[in-house]
Amino acid sequence: MAKTAKPLTMAAALNSAMRDALDEDPNVVIFGEDVGQLGGVFRVTSGLLAEFGEDRVWDSPLAESGIIGTAIGMAMYGMRPIVEMQFDAFSYPAFEQIVSHVAKMRNRTRGRVSLPIVIRIPTSGGIGGVEHHSDSSEAYWTHTPGLTVVTPSNPADAYSMLREAIASDDPVIFLEPKSHYWMKEGTEQSGPPLPMNKAAVVREGTDVTLISYGPTVAVALKTAELAEEEDLSVEVIDLRSLSPFDDETVCASVRKTSRSVVIHEAAQFGGYGAEVAARVTEREFYHLAAPILRITGADIPFPAPLLEKYYLPTPERILNAMSTWEWDD
Amino acid sequence: MSLTEETSARAVLPDAEAFTLIDASGAAVPIDRRRGYELPDVEVLKELYRRMVIARRWETQVTALTRQGRLSTYPSARGQEASEIGTVMAMQETDWLFPTYRDSIAVGTRGVVTAELLSGFRGDWHSGWDPKEHRIAPQATPLATQVLHAVGLAMAAKLKGDPIATVTFIGDGATSEGDAHEGFNFAGVWQTPTVFIIQNNQFAISVPIAKQTRARMLADKAVGYGIPGYHVDGNDIAAVFAVVTEALDRARSGGGPTMIECLTYRIEPHTNSDDPSRYRDAADVEAWKARDPIARLERYLTTEGALDDELRASIEEESERIAAAMREAMNREPAIDPMELFEHVYNEPRASLLEQRDALKAELEDAHDAGAVS
């Protein structure tokens, strides 16, 4: 339960989640690059060092593999580390520790050692970042058994999902859309928070299902608004959890609409959208009126800042793709 | 400069000559060369001897079983018993060990039973023992990754105020890995109670130490991390035990990490699939056999009158008994359950895994039914 007053931005919501977790559980610790004194390059951990002291929140040496590797040892001894990777592309030095150890420890020890680690990664583009600051790394993690991969699209989810991730006994990759850090609340649903592993229907519709997550939820919602002007009723799903995948919610929507587009910023080939399209097709082929389409980044390295607008998915591109379908009515 | 004068406050280059208490001939070195250390008590040395004899006999049996195909592979630590056993015998029960694939005898000496210890090499599960029960992490197959785990666990213990230390083994080749550097550095900065045992057995599979580093010796690296470094004769269990004991005491009492290079030699091939004739001279192996850790301690204890034929025979008999029990355990087929494949990946069961488990179950039942009919 949130003790803090309603947060204003996603960054503040994440900050509140960590503050409340630090407050409730002495085993929760936070460390990483610049997360202490500075409060993180995005200020998401702002004020936590001052409030909880250096035994709970501290600046580590600048080495991502070292951060994840030491978090593993801490978790083996009963702590619940929250670590930050600063930017997606800076998580790659830690790839071996995450894929070979974080993901596998529970299985290789026959369930005797769980690693309750939260790996926070500011993800994706849209902020005009220089090279290596705008990657979308989700497919690397979702392809790895043993990891839970989630991504919030709004401040309320950011709070409830991070609390749940910290409380989880399994390791969680927590992807924070960096273009949304300063997003104000208001888009989230009311009522009790949805569990972290459930997808949300954030807009109901009957003609098309747009499957989105993280930064592309806003793009999908904008698309739905524009489509409405053309008398198309678009349902928008915010996946929230990429692994596990909420087949039930997604398939129910596609059965209803019979048409779907998956939207993500990451490159298309071998990307997360391919998995979504394949598994929904396997389950709902006879309910589909058209092939599931993918609107994603191109199969190129993430572009330089002045060129990113040509790369990122846009409502226009999604509407154009939808217009390539044959519509009977 | 005395080793005992070194503190974590100001690291200095270790002595070039590997520190020895009992030399290759089995004689105790003169007091003026003991650098302030005392020889371990003779009862301790007898116990170290017993443990090494048992470990070698056990490992000889494992290697034989591997040749017979009972294990898929086995990396032997023959010749390195002093580093392996001297280190773990210096540890307390509450300390944690982070071993590599070559350190099975160290794990066994800490009390893990054979069937659990050899689970990974036998192939019935990746890691067989309960790490929390034994305070031993699973054996690391990737190189140097476990160094960071040892530093992290030590940091957690330090934060909780528990007076324990962590020990990790790392090979000479693995010191070239980035994770070794990051582990040494984090430990230095955080002053964690961690002891790094670098077993310099001179070869990383086939590649000699000269192709891993330009450093005078691996222990020299400690100075760059601001931590004490020691260069120890890794075939002298008295020296290993004395230096590791001191490093662990310092770690547990808040004195921070220590790097200890144990100079030793891998007598056996890297694993049973290796061919050392392609990269080293048999004469080198013979020269190192003359520095055997067990033979030298046996000579010392015999000269001291602490080891007679009766005791030697009783230790040998005990080793044979342990090897026979191990052989019997390994000749029993391990219990494997394909349904378990899906059981431990997550705390929360996942629908997609349960579907895949049920599919495998149906497949096996179909195959079983087909077999019953035909």
Side-chain angles (χ1 to χ4, degrees):
Chain A
M1 283 292 107
K3 289 181 189 169
T4 318
K6 277 196 169 185
L8 288 176
T9 63
M10 183 181 283
L14 295 164
N15 185 279
S16 295
M18 286 185 276
R19 173 177 286 110
D20 291 347
L22 282 163
D23 199 37
E24 284 172 23
D25 184 349
N27 286 315
V28 173
V29 292
I30 296 174
F31 65 100
E33 297 157 3
D34 302 297
V35 300
Q37 190 64 35
L38 178 67
V41 293
F42 293 103
R43 309 295 182 267
V44 175
T45 53
S46 186
L48 299 180
L49 166 61
E51 188 171 343
F52 294 95
E54 265 208 298
D55 283 352
R56 306 289 305 283
V57 181
W58 69 92
D59 288 316
S60 74
L62 205 168
E64 292 79 11
S65 187
I67 291 166
I68 301 296
T70 52
I72 291 168
M74 288 183 211
M76 289 176 79
Y77 202 69
M79 305 204 100
R80 309 184 84 86
I82 307 169
V83 294
E84 181 178 296
M85 290 283 95
Q86 202 157 91
F87 288 91
D88 253 291
F90 298 165
S91 65
Y92 305 152
F95 195 76
E96 182 185 23
Q97 286 288 352
I98 296 174
V99 169
S100 294
H101 296 288
V102 171
K104 292 179 179 173
M105 184 66 82
R106 190 175 198 282
N107 184 62
R108 72 206 281 233
T109 60
R110 282 191 147 134
R112 287 156 172 149
V113 179
S114 292
L115 296 179
I117 301 171
V118 177
I119 302 172
R120 294 181 38 242
I121 309 179
T123 189
S124 304
I127 61 159
V130 295
E131 193 177 17
H132 308 302
H133 286 67
S134 298
D135 281 24
S136 291
S137 62
E138 66 270 21
Y140 301 129
W141 316 126
T142 56
H143 190 60
T144 303
L147 298 177
T148 295
V149 185
V150 302
T151 181
S153 71
N154 62 71
D157 274 357
Y159 180 87
S160 70
M161 290 168 70
L162 186 52
R163 289 304 307 274
E164 203 178 328
I166 297 166
S168 170
D169 286 332
D170 286 324
V172 178
I173 304 283
F174 198 89
L175 300 170
E176 301 169 0
K178 62 177 84 78
S179 60
H180 284 35
Y181 272 139
W182 313 117
M183 173 198 208
K184 298 265 173 63
E185 63 180 334
T187 55
E188 66 274 14
Q189 295 171 311
S190 55
L194 204 58
M196 183 173 76
N197 61 2
K198 296 298 288 180
V201 178
V202 291
R203 180 189 168 113
E204 291 194 7
T206 53
D207 298 330
V208 179
T209 301
L210 297 183
I211 303 171
S212 59
Y213 55 89
T216 61
V217 176
V219 181
L221 287 167
K222 181 70 187 165
T223 307
E225 274 176 38
L226 295 172
E228 197 171 26
E229 293 166 15
E230 298 173 27
D231 285 334
L232 266 182
S233 168
V234 171
E235 181 146 304
V236 175
I237 289 182
D238 175 359
L239 288 178
R240 302 168 84 250
S241 175
L242 306 186
S243 176
F245 181 81
D246 182 357
D247 290 292
E248 202 181 333
T249 301
V250 175
C251 287
S253 175
V254 172
R255 277 197 302 276
K256 179 173 69 174
T257 62
S258 76
R259 294 168 194 272
S260 183
V261 184
V262 194
I263 310 158
H264 58 64
E265 286 192 17
Q268 185 166 92
F269 191 89
Y272 188 75
E275 174 63 25
V276 175
R279 65 193 295 126
V280 174
T281 302
E282 281 168 355
R283 286 161 175 75
E284 306 299 340
F285 181 74
Y286 296 106
H287 289 94
L288 287 173
I292 297 176
L293 299 176
R294 290 170 292 161
I295 295 299
T296 68
D299 294 331
I300 57 175
F302 196 91
L306 296 178
L307 293 157
E308 73 174 343
K309 62 172 183 260
Y310 303 107
Y311 174 93
L312 296 169
T314 59
E316 294 71 25
R317 205 174 279 166
I318 298 161
L319 290 171
N320 281 340
M322 284 157 50
S323 71
T324 65
W325 283 325
E326 282 184 26
W327 296 84
D328 307 328
D329 41 352
Chain B
M1 176 204 71
S2 162
L3 282 175
T4 51
E5 284 166 15
E6 292 176 12
T7 68
S8 58
R10 192 166 72 77
V12 291
L13 282 177
D15 285 304
E17 191 189 350
F19 174 62
T20 305
L21 283 172
I22 298 174
D23 69 20
S25 75
V29 302
I31 288 178
D32 63 353
R33 286 177 53 206
R34 294 183 194 171
R35 304 182 194 175
Y37 289 95
E38 297 198 0
L39 269 176
D41 183 78
V42 73
E43 288 306 314
V44 171
L45 289 175
K46 276 162 72 177
E47 178 61 8
L48 295 175
Y49 172 77
R50 176 179 158 264
R51 297 284 193 149
M52 285 199 291
V53 171
I54 291 171
R56 179 167 294 180
R57 182 65 191 89
W58 181 89
E59 197 160 60
T60 304
Q61 190 63 56
V62 178
T63 303
L65 288 167
T66 307
R67 290 203 188 98
Q68 293 163 25
R70 303 299 302 189
L71 282 78
S72 57
T73 188
Y74 184 76
S76 167
R78 190 182 186 89
Q80 301 175 210
E81 289 89 350
S83 303
E84 297 271 342
I85 311 292
T87 296
V88 294
M89 291 297 285
M91 294 172 69
Q92 291 180 357
E93 205 184 323
T94 47
D95 296 333
W96 270 75
L97 177 68
F98 290 78
T100 75
Y101 54 84
R102 195 171 300 288
D103 308 313
S104 298
I105 56 170
V107 175
T109 300
R110 286 210 98 197
V112 175
V113 299
T114 294
E116 293 181 0
L117 170 47
L118 292 179
S119 185
F121 295 123
R122 196 184 198 191
D124 51 291
W125 204 265
H126 293 310
S127 186
W129 64 85
D130 182 346
K132 290 175 177 166
E133 180 194 343
H134 295 282
R135 297 179 183 84
I136 306 174
Q139 282 169 290
T141 316
L143 295 179
T145 51
Q146 81 285 356
V147 174
L148 286 160
H149 308 164
V151 174
L153 194 140
M155 180 63 167
K158 181 180 170 173
L159 290 170
K160 285 172 185 265
D162 295 345
I164 68 155
T166 64
V167 172
T168 182
F169 287 113
I170 172 173
D172 43 286
T175 61
S176 299
E177 292 278 2
D179 276 3
H181 159 67
E182 293 186 24
F184 301 150
N185 188 49
F186 274 62
V189 174
W190 291 352
Q191 285 294 286
T192 61
T194 312
V195 178
F196 304 106
I197 306 292
I198 302 174
Q199 292 194 89
N200 178 1
N201 69 10
Q202 320 224 20
F203 287 92
I205 303 188
S206 66
V207 180
I209 183 73
K211 291 185 178 173
Q212 299 293 345
T213 182
R214 182 69 178 159
R216 188 181 57 148
M217 53 195 191
L218 293 169
D220 279 355
K221 295 184 180 224
V223 75
Y225 301 107
I227 67 179
Y230 295 81
H231 186 221
V232 175
D233 180 343
N235 282 21
D236 172 16
I237 199 165
V240 173
F241 183 82
V243 174
V244 175
T245 299
E246 183 193 58
L248 284 168
D249 285 346
R250 183 167 53 233
R252 287 189 215 99
S253 55
T258 301
M259 180 187 296
I260 299 169
E261 176 184 2
C262 293
L263 183 66
T264 182
Y265 196 83
R266 195 192 74 215
I267 298 293
E268 294 276 321
H270 166 66
T271 64
N272 49 304
S273 58
D274 182 26
D275 176 10
S277 71
R278 295 172 76 101
Y279 57 82
R280 70 183 186 188
D281 286 339
D284 291 347
V285 182
E286 291 310 309
W288 274 92
K289 280 184 180 169
R291 303 173 62 174
D292 185 72
I294 298 179
R296 82 164 73 177
L297 185 57
E298 186 170 333
R299 279 195 290 273
Y300 173 80
L301 289 172
T302 306
T303 310
E304 291 293 303
L307 181 64
D308 55 17
D309 288 346
E310 194 187 336
L311 180 56
R312 193 180 291 114
S314 105
I315 292 173
E316 259 167 41
E317 190 201 335
E318 185 185 6
S319 312
E320 286 301 327
R321 209 166 52 235
I322 288 168
M326 183 268 258
R327 191 169 54 237
E328 197 192 325
M330 285 296 102
N331 281 330
R332 279 196 295 269
E333 288 301 322
I336 56 167
D337 174 10
M339 295 303 108
E340 192 185 353
L341 287 170
F342 303 90
E343 198 174 310
H344 308 302
V345 186
Y346 304 97
N347 279 285
E348 290 289 316
R350 284 198 178 182
S352 56
L353 264 70
L354 297 179
E355 277 173 29
Q356 291 167 5
R357 182 198 63 188
D358 293 344
L360 177 60
K361 193 177 180 189
E363 185 185 308
L364 294 172
E365 282 166 0
D366 287 351
H368 182 266
D369 291 347
V373 170
S374 61

